[in-house]
C-alpha cells in the first residue's frame, strides 16, 4: 500500500489458491503492522565523547529503535552534505587533522523510493592537535656501567588528566622490539614505573637502546615521543685533570685547574685533592674549575680530582696526578737554554744549564719526573731532540728545591714559533719569528695568531709588540699556507724594580766612581807640587751663573794646613713646560785638610786644590730612557805668593757620559 495511515495498522496474513480449483492453501501466520503518525528521529553520539585528539579514531553511532533493514546516512557541516552511507548504525573515522572537527548529523532510510527518518540533532565534534610525549634521561644519555638511570615520559596537556604510559625499547644491535608498561620489569633491573618514570638500577651494557613512550587517556593516545638513545660505557667513569695556562708559574700569577669526565659533561660535581689530601676549599671548584689567584709558593703540589653524580651518588675513578709548581719571583738560580727559545725542531741539539754549582737539570715529560739525560755537572746536553723530550725542565738542588721551570716543545713538523721561554717584562718589546726547519731563519710571509684569533696577516715572518702589557698574555702560534707551528704560552711579568730606585742606584754609583777618580788625580797633583814650600792663598774660580762659590781663604799670621776643596754641582732639568721653571742647583763641598803646619813666613807654598764637578741631566728624550748626562771634572790649582796669585797651567779634564733608563 502507498501512503499508509494510522488506520491501516493491524494483523495481516495471507493464503494462496490455484486458478480453476476450489481448494486454497492454509493461511499464513499473522503479521502485526503498526503505523506511527510521526517519522522516527535517531540519536547521534560520539565515542570518545568530548574533544578528540588528532591521530586517533572517533566512532559516531546513530541510535534508533527501528527494526532491521535500514541504511544510515551521515552528514557534515550541512544536512545537504552527505559524506557516508553505512549498512550499520555506526561510523568510525580517523581524525587526521583539526579540520575533521565540525557539525555532524545522521538519519536512516529504507525502501524504494527511500523512506527517510528525521535528521538527528546536531553533534559538534571538537578536534585538538594531539600532544607529543617527551622523554628525558637522568643523569645523562651517556652513562657508565653501574650508574642509576631514570627515564621520564612527560606529556603537556591541559588539566590534571590521568595518563597511562607505555614504553617502547629498541635495543641497539638487536632486532627484538618489546613494549614496557608500568606493570612490567625490565630484566629484573628496572623498578616498577609509578606513572611516568622508568628506573634502571645499576645499568649494564645490555640496556643500550632507543627509548620512546606514549601516553593513553581513555581510548585516545598521545603522539609518540622522539626516541632517546641511551648509551652505556663498558668502563667505569674516569676523571681527568688539566691546567690552564700552564703547570709551571711564578708566584703572583693565576692558574686554573680543570676537572672533567671525557665523553660526559652533565650533572657532575667535582672534588679536589692536593698531595692526596682533600682540599678544605674544594667546594669552590665543584663546578669543574679550581682557580688559584694569585698563586703562592704553598700551592705547589700534585693535584687530583674526582667526579660524582646521581642519587644514589655514583663516583668516578680519581684522575691522574697533575703537578703544579709555583716558584718565587726572584729565583736565585736560572735555567739557561741554548738556543734560547721555547720551541725546537726534532733532531736539533739543545743545551740546558743551571747557572749555579750544585744544581742539576731535571724534567717532567709524559707524567714522569726524571733527570735530564747526558748530564755533566749543572749542564744537560741533548744532541738529537725528539718529540718525547717535550716537557718542563727546571733546576733542582740536592735538597730538592726547584727553581726556574721552563716549557720546552719539540716539534716534528716544518715550522716553529721562535719566542722566549722566559716571561716577558712589562714594557719591553716582544718579537716573534716564524722559523722553517730547512733554513732556521724567518719565513718570508706568515700569519700570527693569539688565542686562535689572527693578529697579523702575511706581511713578514716577524711580528713585534713594542710595549708589552699584561693583556698581551696568551697562546701564540704562526701559520704559513700549509704549515702551522705549535702553540706557546707567553706570559708577561710586571717589572719588579721602581724606575726611581734604578735611577738612584745608577746616580749613586756614578758619583762614587767620580769621587774615586778625583782622589787619584788629587794625589798625582800633590806629588807634582811637593817641592813648593811657600804659603799661598787660593781662591776658587767663579762658577757659572747661578752656582754657589767658595769663600776666599784669607792669609793668616799663624800656620795653616793644606786645604783641598771639592765642589760638586748637580743640575737637573725637570721634564716640565719650557721656560716655566728655573734650573735647580745643588752645590756640595768636600773639604780635605792635611795637618802640615808651616810658618807663614817660611818659603814654599801651601797646596790648595779646587775641584769643580758639574753634572747636568738633560730633558727626557722622546724615548723612555734618560738623556745624556755629561760630567766635567775640572781641576785648577792656584798659587799665590806675596799677596799675588797666579794660576797654574795644570788643568785636567775628565768627561764621563752616563745613559740611564728613565728620567725623573
Amino acid at each position: 500500500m502507498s501512503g499508509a495511515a494510522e488506520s491501516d495498522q493491524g494483523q495481516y496474513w495471507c493464503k494462496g489458491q490455484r486458478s480453476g480449483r476450489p481448494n486454497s492453501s492454509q493461511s499464513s501466520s499473522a503479521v502485526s503492522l503498526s503505523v506511527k503518525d510521526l517519522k522516527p528521529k535517531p540519536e547521534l553520539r560520539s565515542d570518545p565523547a568530548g574533544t578528540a585528539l588528532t591521530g586517533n579514531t572517533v566512532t559516531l553511532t546513530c541510535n534508533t529503535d527501528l527494526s532491521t533493514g535500514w541504511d544510515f546516512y551521515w552528514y557534515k557541516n550541512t544536512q545537504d552534505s552527505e559524506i557516508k552511507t553505512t549498512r550499520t548504525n555506526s561510523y568510525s573515522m580517523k581524525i587526521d587533522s583539526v579540520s575533521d572537527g565540525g557539525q555532524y548529523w545522521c538519519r536512516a532510510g529504507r525502501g524504494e523510493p527511500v523512506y527517510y527518518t528525521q535528521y538527528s540533532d546536531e553533534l559538534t565534534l571538537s578536534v585538538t592537535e594531539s600532544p607529543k610525549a617527551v622523554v628525558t634521561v637522568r643523569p645523562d644519555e651517556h652513562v657508565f656501567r653501574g650508574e642509576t638511570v631514570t627515564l621520564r615520559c612527560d606529556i603537556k596537556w591541559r588539566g590534571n588528566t590521568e595518563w597511562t604510559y607505555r614504553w617502547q625499547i629498541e635495543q641497539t644491535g638487536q632486532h627484538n622490539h618489546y613494549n614496557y608498561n608500568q606493570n612490567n620489569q625490565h630484566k629484573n633491573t628496572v623498578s616498577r614505573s609509578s606513572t611516568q618514570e622508568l628506573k634502571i638500577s645499576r645499568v649494564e651494557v645490555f640496556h643500550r637502546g632507543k627509548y620512546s613512550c606514549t601516553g593513553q587517556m581513555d581510548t585516545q593516545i598521545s603522539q609518540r615521543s622522539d626516541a632517546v638513545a641511551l648509551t652505556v660505557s663498558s668502563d667505569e667513569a674516569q676523571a681527568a685533570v688539566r691546567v690552564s695556562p700552564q703547570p709551571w708559574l711564578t708566584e703572583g700569577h693565576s692558574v686554573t685547574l680543570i676537572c672533567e669526565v671525557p665523553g660526559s659533561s652533565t650533572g657532575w660535581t667535582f672534588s679536589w685533592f692536593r698531595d692526596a689530601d682533600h682540599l678544605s676549599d674544594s667546594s669552590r671548584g665543584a663546578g669543574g674549575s679550581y682557580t688559584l689567584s694569585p698563586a703562592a709558593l704553598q700551592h705547589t703540589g700534585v693535584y687530583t680530582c674526582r667526579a660524582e653524580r646521581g642519587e644514589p651518588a655514583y663516583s668516578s675513578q680519581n684522575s691522574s696526578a697533575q703537578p703544579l709548581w709555583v716558584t718565587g719571583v726572584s729565583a736565585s738560580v736560572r735555567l739557561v737554554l741554548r738556543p734560547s727559545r721555547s720551541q725546537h725542531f726534532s733532531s736539533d741539539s739543545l743545551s740546558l744549564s743551571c747557572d749555579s754549582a750544585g744544581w742539576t737539570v731535571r724534567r717532567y715529560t709524559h707524567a714522569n719526573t726524571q733527570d735530564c739525560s747526558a748530564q755533566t755537572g749543572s749542564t744537560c746536553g741533548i744532541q738529537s731532540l725528539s718529540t718525547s723530550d717535550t716537557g718542563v725542565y727546571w733546576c733542582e738542588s740536592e735538597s730538592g728545591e726547584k727553581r726556574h721551570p721552563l716549557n720546552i716543545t719539540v716539534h716534528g713538523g716544518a715550522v716553529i714559533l721562535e719566542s722566549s721561554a722566559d716571561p716577558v717584562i712589562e714594557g719591553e718589546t716582544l718579537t716573534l719569528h716564524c722559523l722553517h726547519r730547512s733554513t732556521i731563519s724567518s719565513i718570508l710571509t706568515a700569519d700570527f695568531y693569539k688565542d686562535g684569533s689572527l693578529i697579523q696577516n702575511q706581511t713578514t715572518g716577524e711580528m713585534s709588540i713594542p710595549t708589552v702589557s699584561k693583556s698581551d698574555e696568551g697562546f701564540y702560534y704562526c701559520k704559513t699556507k700549509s704549515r702551522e707551528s705549535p702553540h706557546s704560552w707567553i706570559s708577561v711579568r710586571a717589572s719588579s724594580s721602581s724606575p726611581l730606585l734604578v735611577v738612584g742606584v745608577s746616580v749613586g754609583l756614578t758619583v762614587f766612581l767620580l769621587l774615586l777618580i778625583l782622589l787619584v788625580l788629587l794625589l798625582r797633583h800633590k806629588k807634582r807640587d811637593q817641592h813648593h814650600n811657600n804659603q799661598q792663598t787660593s781662591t776658587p774660580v767663579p762658577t757659572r751663573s747661578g752656582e754657589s762659590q767658595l769663600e776666599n781663604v784669607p792669609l793668616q799670621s799663624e800656620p795653616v794646613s793644606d786645604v783641598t776643596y771639592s765642589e760638586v754641582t748637580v743640575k737637573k732639568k725637570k721634564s716640565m713646560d719650557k721656560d716655566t721653571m728655573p734650573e735647580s742647583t745643588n752645590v756640595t763641598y768636600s773639604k780635605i785638610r792635611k795637618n802640615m803646619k808651616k810658618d807663614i813666613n817660611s818659603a814654599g807654598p801651601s797646596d790648595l786644590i779646587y775641584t769643580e764637578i758639574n753634572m747636568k741631566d738633560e730633558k727626557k728624550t722622546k724615548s723612555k730612557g734618560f738623556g745624556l748626562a755629561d760630567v766635567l771634572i775640572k781641576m785648577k790649582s792656584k798659587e799665590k805668593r806675596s799677596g799675588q796669585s797666579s794660576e797654574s797651567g795644570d788643568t785636567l779634564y775628565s768627561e764621563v757620559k752616563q745613559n740611564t733608563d728613565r728620567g725623573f
Side-chain angles (χ1 to χ4, degrees):
M1 68 181 73
S2 60
E6 189 174 357
S7 59
D8 294 324
Q9 66 182 3
Q11 295 289 325
Y12 289 83
W13 66 91
C14 68
K15 63 179 179 178
Q17 185 176 3
R18 291 181 178 180
S19 174
R21 294 187 180 183
N23 296 332
S24 60
S25 67
Q26 295 181 0
S27 297
S28 67
S29 298
V31 173
S32 177
L33 174 66
S34 61
V35 178
K36 296 186 178 299
D37 187 33
L38 297 176
K39 289 183 178 181
K41 184 177 183 179
E43 180 183 13
L44 182 59
R45 295 179 180 178
S46 67
D47 183 24
T51 303
L53 303 179
T54 57
N56 289 274
T57 299
V58 173
T59 299
L60 300 176
T61 303
C62 194
N63 292 321
T64 65
D65 55 358
L66 301 175
S67 59
T68 60
W70 293 83
D71 292 328
F72 293 87
Y73 303 89
W74 307 91
Y75 304 87
K76 180 184 177 184
N77 295 332
T78 66
Q79 293 180 351
D80 295 330
S81 302
E82 181 181 323
I83 59 173
K84 187 73 173 177
T85 300
T86 62
R87 301 302 301 271
T88 62
N89 66 338
S90 62
Y91 168 45
S92 295
M93 58 180 177
K94 180 71 177 295
I95 305 298
D96 294 319
S97 66
V98 176
S99 62
D100 289 328
Q103 289 75 40
Y104 287 83
W105 295 266
C106 73
R107 67 174 177 172
R110 65 179 178 183
E112 189 63 42
V114 179
Y115 174 82
Y116 293 100
T117 65
Q118 297 185 61
Y119 288 96
S120 67
D121 290 333
E122 172 189 302
L123 172 68
T124 300
L125 178 64
S126 298
V127 177
T128 301
E129 193 72 32
S130 179
K132 186 174 183 177
V134 177
V135 174
T136 55
V137 185
R138 297 195 309 269
D140 193 12
E141 295 177 16
H142 175 75
V143 294
F144 296 87
R145 184 171 56 85
E147 284 195 84
T148 297
V149 179
T150 301
L151 298 102
R152 179 183 174 91
C153 186
D154 286 297
I155 300 174
K156 292 184 178 181
W157 182 251
R158 60 177 180 267
N160 297 320
T161 305
E162 291 293 333
W163 292 88
T164 300
Y165 297 90
R166 186 176 182 86
W167 293 88
Q168 185 178 48
I169 305 170
E170 179 183 349
Q171 287 188 311
T172 303
Q174 299 184 24
H175 299 288
N176 57 319
H177 294 64
Y178 57 92
N179 294 325
Y180 177 84
N181 59 37
Q182 58 184 349
N183 296 318
N184 292 335
Q185 287 191 337
H186 181 40
K187 295 193 177 181
N188 298 321
T189 60
V190 180
S191 64
R192 183 167 297 186
S193 177
S194 59
T195 48
Q196 58 188 140
E197 289 187 347
L198 179 64
K199 190 172 184 179
I200 307 174
S201 300
R202 297 195 58 82
V203 68
E204 294 292 343
V205 175
F206 61 76
H207 289 115
R208 293 175 181 171
K210 296 181 179 179
Y211 289 72
S212 60
C213 71
T214 55
Q216 184 170 339
M217 177 181 61
D218 297 327
T219 60
Q220 299 194 84
I221 300 174
S222 70
Q223 295 185 60
R224 180 170 297 280
S225 69
D226 293 331
V228 173
L230 179 67
T231 59
V232 182
S233 174
S234 58
D235 300 322
E236 294 184 2
Q238 174 70 57
V241 65
R242 57 187 175 89
V243 62
S244 177
Q246 57 185 359
W248 309 86
L249 69 155
T250 305
E251 62 177 336
H253 287 203
S254 297
V255 66
T256 299
L257 293 151
I258 302 165
C259 190
E260 55 196 358
V261 178
S264 179
S265 60
T266 304
W268 295 102
T269 300
F270 299 90
S271 300
W272 293 91
F273 304 85
R274 182 173 61 228
D275 300 331
D277 294 327
H278 187 264
L279 292 173
S280 58
D281 60 346
S282 174
S283 59
R284 67 185 180 89
S289 295
Y290 184 80
T291 300
L292 299 171
S293 181
L297 295 176
Q298 63 267 24
H299 292 138
T300 296
V302 177
Y303 288 77
T304 56
C305 66
R306 185 175 64 217
E308 62 179 41
R309 68 179 178 184
E311 186 62 42
Y314 169 85
S315 297
S316 72
Q317 298 292 315
N318 281 11
S319 70
S320 57
Q322 172 62 61
L324 182 69
W325 295 101
V326 184
T327 59
V329 174
S330 55
S332 57
V333 179
R334 295 184 67 254
L335 178 61
V336 180
L337 305 179
R338 293 184 182 88
S340 180
R341 60 175 185 250
S342 61
Q343 294 185 17
H344 302 265
F345 291 111
S346 59
S347 301
D348 284 357
S349 61
L350 174 65
S351 172
L352 307 98
S353 59
C354 301
D355 62 359
S356 296
W359 294 76
T360 58
V361 178
R362 302 204 74 198
R363 66 180 184 175
Y364 180 86
T365 59
H366 302 288
N368 292 316
T369 300
Q370 55 188 333
D371 291 331
C372 183
S373 59
Q375 181 141 268
T376 304
S378 297
T379 300
C380 168
I382 305 176
Q383 297 303 317
S384 181
L385 289 165
S386 67
T387 54
S388 61
D389 291 316
T390 296
V392 180
Y393 293 73
W394 67 93
C395 293
E396 186 168 324
S397 67
E398 294 179 357
S399 61
E401 292 182 84
K402 301 173 180 63
R403 293 288 185 272
H404 203 192
L406 295 177
N407 281 293
I408 302 296
T409 301
V410 181
H411 186 44
V415 175
I416 63 172
L417 179 72
E418 183 181 45
S419 63
S420 173
D422 286 305
V424 185
I425 305 301
E426 201 168 17
E428 291 185 351
T429 298
L430 170 64
T431 301
L432 304 175
H433 295 91
C434 201
L435 305 183
H436 195 277
R437 177 185 290 271
S438 61
T439 60
I440 313 298
S441 60
S442 292
I443 298 172
L444 293 178
T445 58
D447 293 335
F448 289 86
Y449 293 80
K450 174 180 178 284
D451 298 328
S453 299
L454 179 67
I455 54 176
Q456 179 175 301
N457 58 7
Q458 292 194 356
T459 54
T460 66
E462 176 181 304
M463 190 198 79
S464 293
I465 302 177
T467 305
V468 172
S469 64
K470 197 69 176 175
S471 63
D472 293 315
E473 277 191 337
F475 284 100
Y476 288 78
Y477 64 98
C478 66
K479 190 175 182 181
T480 65
K481 290 183 178 179
S482 59
R483 307 284 182 173
E484 180 178 316
S485 74
H487 297 206
S488 278
W489 173 262
I490 294 179
S491 60
V492 178
R493 181 184 297 169
S495 178
S496 58
S497 58
S498 167
L500 291 178
L501 178 61
V502 173
V503 171
V505 171
S506 301
V507 172
L509 289 174
T510 302
V511 172
F512 173 77
L513 292 173
L514 292 175
L515 291 176
L516 186 62
I517 295 171
L518 174 64
L519 290 175
V520 172
L521 294 175
L522 287 174
L523 290 174
R524 291 179 63 185
H525 193 71
K526 287 286 289 180
K527 285 183 179 181
R528 181 180 296 178
D529 294 334
Q530 281 182 353
H531 65 279
H532 294 293
N533 295 318
N534 295 330
Q535 292 181 339
Q536 61 180 203
T537 303
S538 176
T539 304
V541 177
T543 62
R544 298 188 184 113
S545 176
E547 297 177 0
S548 298
Q549 300 183 3
L550 290 174
E551 294 291 330
N552 290 336
V553 180
L555 214 57
Q556 299 184 24
S557 60
E558 62 183 30
V560 295
S561 60
D562 295 340
V563 179
T564 298
Y565 286 96
S566 173
E567 177 180 348
V568 181
T569 302
V570 180
K571 290 185 177 181
K572 305 177 195 174
K573 291 186 179 180
K574 298 184 179 180
S575 55
M576 306 177 76
D577 294 337
K578 287 198 303 183
D579 304 325
T580 58
M581 293 293 290
E583 298 178 358
S584 63
T585 304
N586 297 323
V587 180
T588 303
Y589 292 95
S590 175
K591 181 183 291 185
I592 304 173
R593 295 181 182 274
K594 301 177 72 174
N595 293 326
M596 299 170 60
K597 293 185 178 180
K598 297 181 181 179
D599 190 339
I600 192 169
N601 296 319
S602 63
S606 62
D607 295 326
L608 174 65
I609 297 175
Y610 172 78
T611 302
E612 177 184 349
I613 300 178
N614 187 5
M615 178 183 292
K616 296 181 180 180
D617 287 350
E618 296 298 329
K619 287 185 180 180
K620 292 190 296 182
T621 62
K622 291 183 180 180
S623 63
K624 289 197 170 185
F626 261 120
L628 177 67
D630 296 325
V631 180
L632 178 66
I633 301 176
K634 184 176 182 182
M635 300 183 61
K636 294 182 179 179
S637 175
K638 291 184 179 181
E639 296 180 357
K640 191 169 188 177
R641 293 178 183 170
S642 302
Q644 295 180 356
S645 63
S646 64
E647 183 173 327
S648 68
D650 296 328
T651 302
L652 305 179
Y653 292 92
S654 175
E655 181 176 348
V656 180
K657 294 185 178 181
Q658 176 192 10
N659 284 323
T660 56
D661 291 331
R662 298 181 183 273
F664 288 107

